[in-house]
């Protein structure tokens, strides 16, 4: 899966717990009719990938969805979801447009007109 858009925020790397676990978040704003601000978390050695990115960069982030189950002290089971990034790359302006849009068509003047076309001479039907 991937998220494409413009970098809104890049956090500093944080160490969590005593085991040396590292995490770093980036927020990417999608380029669509209703833009979404997607927080993507990079962990451990992947945190360093974000050093090359700044606010305003157009990026494509490859992600995995992660889910965890936790039982609190009261015995209730709680579920957490995380969007975890594993690769990021810059894209050129305009390349972050929503997929499914066709590229612009060239002007009609770019095509050479048929000089001697007669409808009765043209038959490309397979039957």
């Amino acid at each position: 899966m991937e998220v494409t858009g413009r970098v809104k925020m890049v956090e500093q790397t944080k160490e969590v717990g005593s085991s040396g676990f590292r995490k770093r978040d980036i927020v990417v704003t999608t380029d669509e009719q209703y833009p979404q601000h997607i927080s993507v978390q990079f962990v451990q050695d992947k945190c360093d990938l974000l050093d090359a990115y700044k606010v305003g960069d157009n990026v494509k982030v490859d992600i995995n969805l992660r889910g965890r189950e936790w039982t609190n002290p009261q015995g209730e089971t709680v579920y957490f979801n995380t969007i975890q990034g594993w690769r990021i790359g810059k894209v050129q302006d305009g390349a972050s447009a929503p997929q499914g849009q066709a590229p612009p068509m060239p002007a009609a003047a770019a095509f050479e007109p048929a000089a001697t076309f007669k409808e009765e001479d043209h038959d490309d039907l397979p039957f």
Side-chain angles (χ1 to χ4, degrees), residues 2-14:
E2 65 185 42
V3 173
T4 305
R6 189 173 302 273
V7 175
K8 180 175 180 146
M9 179 188 72
V10 181
E11 288 187 349
Q12 296 298 317
T13 302
K14 298 175 184 172

Side-chain angles (χ1 to χ4, degrees), residues 71-77:
T71 304
N72 67 19
Q74 292 78 27
E76 301 167 329
T77 302

Side-chain angles (χ1 to χ4, degrees), residues 76-125:
E76 301 167 329
T77 302
V78 182
Y79 297 91
F80 297 94
N81 296 316
T82 304
I83 300 172
Q84 191 173 81
W86 56 274
R87 181 170 55 193
I88 183 170
K90 289 186 182 181
V91 294
Q92 296 179 0
D93 286 336
S96 62
Q99 291 184 359
Q101 290 184 348
M105 289 296 294
F111 297 98
E112 183 178 324
T116 59
F117 178 77
K118 293 186 218 162
E119 186 66 37
E120 60 274 1
D121 292 342
H122 183 73
D123 186 9
D124 63 352
L125 296 175

Side-chain angles (χ1 to χ4, degrees), residues 14-116:
K14 298 175 184 172
E15 265 195 49
V16 181
S18 59
S19 64
F21 180 80
R22 298 177 344 138
K23 69 178 190 170
R24 188 173 185 186
D25 292 340
I26 184 171
V27 176
V28 177
T29 301
T30 62
D31 182 24
E32 51 196 0
Q33 182 177 1
Y34 300 105
Q36 301 296 307
H37 307 286
I38 309 294
S39 178
V40 181
Q41 186 177 88
F42 285 75
V43 298
Q44 299 299 77
D45 60 330
K46 301 294 184 189
C47 293
D48 300 334
L49 295 175
L50 300 181
D51 291 343
Y53 299 92
K54 63 185 184 319
V55 172
D57 287 344
N58 283 320
V59 295
K60 179 181 92 165
V61 184
D62 291 302
I63 62 168
N64 290 324
L65 295 177
R66 299 284 185 217
R68 293 180 308 287
E69 178 180 273
W70 176 68
T71 304
N72 67 19
Q74 292 78 27
E76 301 167 329
T77 302
V78 182
Y79 297 91
F80 297 94
N81 296 316
T82 304
I83 300 172
Q84 191 173 81
W86 56 274
R87 181 170 55 193
I88 183 170
K90 289 186 182 181
V91 294
Q92 296 179 0
D93 286 336
S96 62
Q99 291 184 359
Q101 290 184 348
M105 289 296 294
F111 297 98
E112 183 178 324
T116 59

